[in-house]
Amino acid sequence: GARRACIGCLLKSGNGKTQRCSPVGPSTEWKAGEAVNEPHRVSEDTYIIPSHFAIPGVGVLPVNAFLILGKEPLLVDTGLARESEEFLEALRTVIDPRKLRWIWLTHDDSDHTGSLQKMLELAPRAQLLAHPFAALRMSGGWAVPLERVRVVAPGDSINVGDRELAAIKPVLFDNPMSVGIYDASSRTL
């Protein structure tokens, strides 16, 4: 059967040991001194752009973005603002941002929206996919180009050229505006 990929559960505990994803998913080792690590492939056309935020005394919080290189390339989340240049450099090793057609925000917390304004500049044809309240909340801090926003909520599906992506309510989330993605073509959540 098709291989499943777990792309969101990369953690490093406070004792410095890396926890692996499920037995069928990838694992990663954080490179010391680097916040944004090299992107790597997690399925045939999906990449993870791994990053992390060190929390002294607690451990490391993963802050990952994902890229689906389908007919209409889609970026999921945009990392931390303080790492924007490193994030963009890592992204460019996989795709020219001008080729992006979609930017999907899983939710509007700052660890997911850090490079969003820059990405919208660099990807002028990209539409922003976001929960309606997430777009509204972000508009309080900067001029979100609402004409480029397409609202998504659990239950919706989006055609991105060569596949349908389903918007789902994640089982675990830290923001009520969270909208996950399920790609049935690759069986990737």
Side-chain angles (χ1 to χ4, degrees):
R3 181 179 165 279
R4 289 186 192 191
C6 170
I7 58 177
C9 57
L10 304 172
L11 294 173
K12 190 170 185 181
S13 65
N15 65 8
K17 293 184 179 176
T18 300
Q19 297 177 351
R20 296 186 181 273
C21 290
S22 68
V24 296
S27 66
T28 193
E29 295 288 333
W30 297 114
K31 294 179 183 172
E34 293 183 30
V36 178
N37 293 157
E38 281 184 35
H40 59 271
R41 188 183 305 252
V42 294
S43 71
E44 184 177 330
D45 58 4
T46 303
Y47 287 79
I48 183 173
I49 303 170
S51 181
H52 63 280
F53 182 73
I55 304 171
V58 175
V60 178
L61 173 70
V63 181
N64 299 317
F66 304 94
L67 177 64
I68 300 173
L69 292 177
K71 184 176 180 182
E72 297 178 9
L74 177 136
L75 177 65
V76 179
D77 292 335
T78 66
L80 292 162
R82 70 186 195 140
E83 301 168 353
S84 189
E85 287 306 313
E86 294 89 346
F87 175 83
L88 295 171
E89 184 179 316
L91 179 66
R92 284 184 179 112
T93 67
V94 182
I95 191 171
D96 177 343
R98 293 176 294 195
K99 293 181 180 179
L100 289 172
R101 293 295 310 274
W102 305 95
I103 299 170
W104 186 311
L105 290 183
T106 57
H107 60 287
D108 61 326
D109 287 347
S110 62
D111 57 333
H112 297 260
T113 63
S115 297
L116 179 57
Q117 291 180 56
K118 188 67 173 173
M119 288 307 312
L120 289 170
E121 289 174 26
L122 295 173
R125 296 182 342 151
Q127 286 191 5
L128 175 61
L129 300 167
H131 188 283
F133 291 127
L136 178 65
R137 286 177 14 142
M138 288 186 300
S139 293
W142 61 284
V144 175
L146 295 177
E147 70 280 1
R148 292 177 64 186
V149 174
R150 180 166 168 190
V151 298
V152 291
D156 293 342
S157 67
I158 305 295
N159 183 309
V160 294
D162 58 350
R163 70 193 74 208
E164 288 280 325
L165 299 176
I168 63 164
K169 187 66 170 178
V171 176
L172 297 173
F173 56 90
D174 65 346
N175 180 312
M177 271 62 79
S178 293
V179 181
I181 304 167
Y182 179 68
D183 179 358
S185 69
S186 67
R187 296 180 54 190
T188 303
L189 180 60

